[in-house]
């Protein structure tokens, strides 16, 4: 690593996003301009899903993570040695919403599923980390400032409309950072839609993320989404640091699917000092011709109409997932004419919750 270069990686999974920024930044930038269809060595099996998505089952030790020079001799950890404990346990009314599951990809043990990349999916997460200067962005949601070792929430699943054919995207996600300015490490996970494929996916083009689960992977679809005024769907997304190894794990509905090795980072290697829960739109026209965020409705619409995140928690230095100190939490929007964040509350049953989203730019 040269100087204090930071790293950003983004993980998106068909409604899940993965992002980070750190030591591999210059390595990534060399690869981001490529739009060719990627091929992998060690393909054990190819699976076509009912929805048309095609996955290659790749030998776990031949996955793209090992293209990263810092992981040349990395030994894969197949599962976390420990999980943060839920200290502020919530019980949710069964008629409020239901948990939606990612697609199950039946890859053999010893392999991991990778969604085949193509011209539409290669742009999936390249710029969420803000590496390119021509990217515009807007945000609405909740932020926390203070030490943390993980973040989690129930993400309300929606399908925001993004301008067809654009390179913009709209994400519902959780973000952890440490550092300042250009010297900031970032990682994030959540749900995302773009102007090409209209679905989210993980970006295996970002070297460093190690996939371990052979049935659940970034890129798999999470359906159905919520219905305006009707049934609400959620997915439980967690990012947490496993203290023994120092790896930062990602889990979906409490299933650990993979991790970022701690050695990839400089500033976030030991802990984060900032977290964000909410929506982000980004791309060449994300601010000038902004797409929808969340459900496409302003936060004031409330439950069953506006997007929300619920059960918002951080992992502390004792290995507990706890509700953040409200004195360290603020909510807001980068442009309230397009998106809002409102309805912030903390209750015994729901934990910490925020509504967010909006229609974006006014259409003629």
């Amino acid at each position: 690593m040269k100087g204090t270069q930071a790293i950003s990686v983004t993980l998106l999974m068909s409604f899940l996003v993965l992002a980070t920024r750190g030591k591999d930044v210059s390595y990534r930038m060399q690869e981001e301009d490529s739009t060719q269809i990627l091929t992998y060595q060690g393909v054990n099996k190819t699976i076509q899903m009912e929805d048309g998505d095609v996955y290659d089952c790749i030998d776990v030790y031949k996955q793209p993570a090992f293209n990263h020079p810092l992981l040349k001799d990395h030994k894969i950890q197949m599962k976390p040695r420990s999980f943060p404990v839920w200290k502020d346990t919530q019980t949710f009314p069964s008629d409020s919403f239901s948990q939606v599951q990612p697609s199950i990809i039946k890859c053999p043990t010893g392999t991991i599923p990778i969604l085949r990349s193509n011209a539409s999916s290669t742009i999936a997460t390249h710029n969420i980390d803000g590496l390119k200067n021509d990217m515009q962005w807007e945000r609405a949601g909740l932020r926390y400032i203070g030490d943390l070792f993980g973040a989690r929430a129930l993400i309300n699943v929606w399908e925001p409309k993004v301008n067809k054919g654009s390179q913009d995207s709209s994400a519902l996600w959780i973000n952890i950072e440490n550092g300042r300015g250009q010297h900031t490490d970032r990682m994030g996970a959540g749900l995302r839609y773009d102007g090409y494929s209209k679905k989210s996916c993980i970006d295996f083009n970002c070297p460093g993320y190690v996939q371990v689960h052979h049935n659940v992977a970034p890129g798999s679809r999470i359906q159905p989404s919520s219905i305006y005024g009707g049934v609400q769907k959620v997915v439980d997304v967690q990012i947490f640091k496993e203290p023994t190894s120092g790896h930062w794990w990602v889990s979906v509905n409490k299933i650990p699917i993979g991790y970022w090795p701690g050695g990839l980072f400089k500033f976030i290697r030991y802990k984060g000092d900032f977290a964000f829960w909410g929506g982000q739109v980004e791309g060449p026209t994300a601010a000038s011709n902004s797409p929808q965020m969340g459900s496409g409705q302003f936060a004031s619409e409330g439950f069953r109409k506006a997007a929300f995140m619920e059960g918002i928690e951080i992992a502390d230095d004792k290995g507990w997932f706890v509700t953040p100190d409200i004195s360290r939490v603020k909510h807001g929007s980068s442009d309230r004419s397009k998106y809002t964040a409102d309805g912030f509350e903390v209750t015994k049953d729901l934990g910490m919750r925020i509504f967010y989203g909006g229609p974006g730019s006014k259409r003629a």
Side-chain angles (χ1 to χ4, degrees):
M1 175 178 172
K2 297 180 180 179
T4 55
Q5 221 170 20
I7 182 171
S8 268
V9 291
T10 302
L11 176 64
L12 292 100
M13 178 175 177
S14 169
F15 296 114
L16 178 66
V17 190
L18 179 63
T20 60
R21 177 184 175 95
K23 292 183 181 179
D24 64 349
V25 62
S26 60
Y27 183 74
R28 285 188 53 208
M29 291 181 68
Q30 295 172 7
E31 294 197 350
E32 283 182 348
D33 292 330
S34 174
T35 57
Q36 65 183 7
I37 296 177
L38 298 178
T39 58
Y40 301 100
Q41 294 181 347
V43 176
N44 177 282
K45 183 179 181 181
T46 297
I47 298 174
Q48 182 166 351
M49 307 292 286
E50 290 184 1
D51 55 27
D53 287 345
V54 177
Y55 288 85
D56 288 323
C57 300
I58 308 295
D59 185 304
V60 68
Y61 279 97
K62 294 183 179 179
Q63 61 179 290
F66 294 99
N67 293 331
H68 196 295
L70 293 179
L71 300 183
K72 183 179 179 181
D73 299 315
H74 181 74
K75 184 177 180 180
I76 295 178
Q77 181 179 336
M78 295 306 296
K79 61 182 180 180
R81 295 183 177 89
S82 62
F83 291 84
V85 179
W86 288 270
K87 187 175 183 179
D88 300 333
T89 303
Q90 300 97 15
T91 57
F92 304 102
S94 59
D95 59 349
S96 293
F97 49 73
S98 60
Q99 194 172 72
V100 62
Q101 301 295 333
S103 300
I104 299 299
I105 307 118
K106 296 181 179 179
C107 283
T109 301
T111 69
I112 54 104
I114 296 183
L115 179 67
R116 283 193 181 178
S117 57
N118 51 44
S120 64
S121 66
T122 51
I123 56 92
T125 59
H126 283 175
N127 301 314
I128 264 190
D129 51 28
L131 290 179
K132 294 190 176 181
N133 295 327
D134 61 347
M135 290 299 107
Q136 301 175 4
W137 63 271
E138 301 282 3
R139 265 186 175 183
L142 182 148
R143 65 177 183 175
Y144 168 86
I145 298 177
D147 291 349
L148 70 155
F149 301 83
R152 69 175 292 258
L154 292 177
I155 300 179
N156 189 201
V157 178
W158 290 92
E159 296 183 6
K161 294 180 180 178
V162 181
N163 301 319
K164 187 176 181 180
S166 74
Q167 295 185 48
D168 297 338
S169 65
S170 183
L172 298 71
W173 74 324
I174 300 169
N175 185 53
I176 298 176
E177 300 180 6
N178 197 339
R180 294 292 179 271
Q182 293 297 314
H183 307 303
T184 301
D185 289 346
R186 301 182 180 96
M187 61 177 65
L191 320 177
R192 179 177 167 218
Y193 285 82
D194 60 57
Y196 285 93
S197 59
K198 297 298 180 187
K199 69 184 188 68
S200 311
C201 62
I202 180 174
D203 193 358
F204 271 107
N205 296 326
C206 300
Y209 169 71
V210 180
Q211 170 75 16
V212 298
H213 204 284
H214 66 285
N215 294 142
V216 179
S220 60
R221 296 174 185 256
I222 301 179
Q223 294 178 330
S225 63
S226 300
I227 298 173
Y228 181 82
V231 176
Q232 299 300 291
K233 300 294 184 178
V234 298
V235 60
D236 187 341
V237 175
Q238 305 174 21
I239 306 172
F240 61 92
K241 183 184 177 186
E242 200 272 315
T244 305
S245 65
H247 301 331
W248 287 86
W249 281 85
V250 177
S251 75
V252 182
N253 294 343
K254 299 183 175 65
I255 300 172
I257 63 170
Y259 62 88
W260 295 284
L264 291 177
F265 305 97
K266 177 177 177 63
F267 304 101
I268 209 171
R269 184 169 187 168
Y270 302 106
K271 63 183 179 181
D273 66 1
F274 173 92
F276 172 81
W277 298 262
Q280 176 168 310
V281 298
E282 91 59 84
T285 60
S288 58
N289 189 22
S290 303
Q292 291 183 352
M293 179 188 294
S295 69
Q297 306 297 317
F298 286 118
S300 58
E301 290 283 304
F303 187 64
R304 298 189 192 279
K305 297 180 180 180
F308 65 85
M309 289 201 187
E310 195 165 283
I312 293 171
E313 295 180 326
I314 62 168
D316 64 16
D317 59 355
K318 298 179 180 63
W320 295 87
F321 263 127
V322 298
T323 301
D325 181 346
I326 60 173
S327 68
R328 294 180 173 273
V329 170
K330 292 184 179 180
H331 65 277
S333 169
S334 58
D335 188 336
R336 289 186 57 83
S337 69
K338 300 175 183 177
Y339 315 108
T340 58
D342 208 344
F344 172 77
E345 62 178 341
V346 182
T347 69
K348 182 179 180 180
D349 290 335
L350 304 176
M352 184 172 287
R353 178 166 75 171
I354 187 73
F355 290 92
Y356 64 94
S361 297
K362 292 182 178 180
R363 306 297 191 263

